[in-house]
Amino acid sequence: MATIWLFGANIDTDQIVPGRYAPYMTSEAELGKYPFIEARPEFREQVRPGDVIVAGPNFGCGSSREYAPRALVAVGIAAIIAPSFARIFYRNALNLGLRLFVADLAQSVRDREPVTLDLARPALTTHDETFALPTPPDWVRQTWEEGGIIGYYHRHGHLPLVESRGAACCAPTAGCAPAAAGCAPAACCAPTVGREP
């Protein structure tokens, strides 16, 4: 059964994977050996696919190294739940299909207790209680299901929220002439969550 790995606040990418264990210093094939190798040495031996990380605020702060979330994907972490995430870690995790939920559960669960993660509801259930998790937007859920942005693109032929072959388009911004059927050209779209301006 899956278990919880409980961490505190401000877990930075150097704690997740120290720089000297970067794939270009070791190898891509060995990346799954190094998550928390110094911060929690038992993690690498005891983590199992489907386990869940619950942490305090600002998870993933520090450098922008993408191999930190990639190492967590490699060992099969099902989700990370924290009150907040460093912005670039959040973006890297989404790109890789690593599920992140913004919720403050660190004071409500115990380290290594058995847990069930229900992605359909979504909810986290321990022996004592069920905690509702925020429902992600459909495009985020679809990105997770495809294993990340690249998988999404390969399957759909476009990035999430980008117009393609009659897909819903965004509203025109001020000073932008609307295209046919009231849709704005992609270059005129106002920035939205999930699309860079």
Side-chain angles (χ1 to χ4, degrees):
M1 186 174 198
T3 62
I4 288 174
W5 291 88
L6 188 60
F7 290 88
N10 302 310
I11 299 299
D12 63 44
T13 52
D14 201 53
Q15 291 174 280
I16 300 170
V17 178
R20 65 179 163 278
Y21 298 106
Y24 53 82
M25 301 288 283
T26 57
S27 78
E28 192 70 35
E30 294 184 334
L31 187 56
K33 296 180 180 180
Y34 303 120
F36 300 109
I37 190 169
E38 294 174 357
R40 287 192 71 170
E42 76 278 13
F43 183 90
R44 60 179 283 194
E45 299 296 333
Q46 298 176 17
V47 67
R48 296 292 177 265
D51 283 359
V52 176
I53 291 175
V54 176
N58 203 27
F59 189 92
C61 58
S63 73
S64 62
R65 56 186 66 156
E66 186 187 17
Y67 57 79
R70 214 162 70 232
L72 300 177
V73 170
V75 298
I77 290 297
I80 304 173
I81 303 168
S84 61
F85 296 88
R87 180 175 177 169
I88 198 159
F89 182 90
Y90 189 95
R91 187 66 193 199
N92 283 337
L94 176 65
N95 289 346
L96 295 166
L98 178 58
R99 300 173 188 93
L100 303 183
F101 290 95
V102 177
D104 191 356
L105 301 184
Q107 302 300 316
S108 304
V109 298
R110 297 185 305 277
D111 190 43
R112 304 311 314 278
E113 73 173 311
V115 67
T116 300
L117 178 64
D118 182 345
L119 294 173
R121 292 178 60 183
L124 185 75
T125 302
T126 65
H127 177 71
D128 303 317
E129 196 169 350
T130 295
F131 303 95
L133 297 172
T135 301
D138 286 344
W139 69 270
V140 170
R141 192 184 293 269
Q142 291 166 4
T143 302
W144 291 344
E145 290 170 359
E146 302 296 351
I149 291 289
I150 292 174
Y152 185 100
Y153 184 84
H154 281 296
R155 181 172 176 87
H156 301 280
H158 60 85
L159 297 175
L161 297 181
V162 175
E163 302 80 15
S164 176
R165 289 177 298 233
C169 63
C170 64
T173 56
C176 174
C183 290
C188 294
C189 288
T192 57
V193 174
R195 177 177 28 229
E196 298 299 327

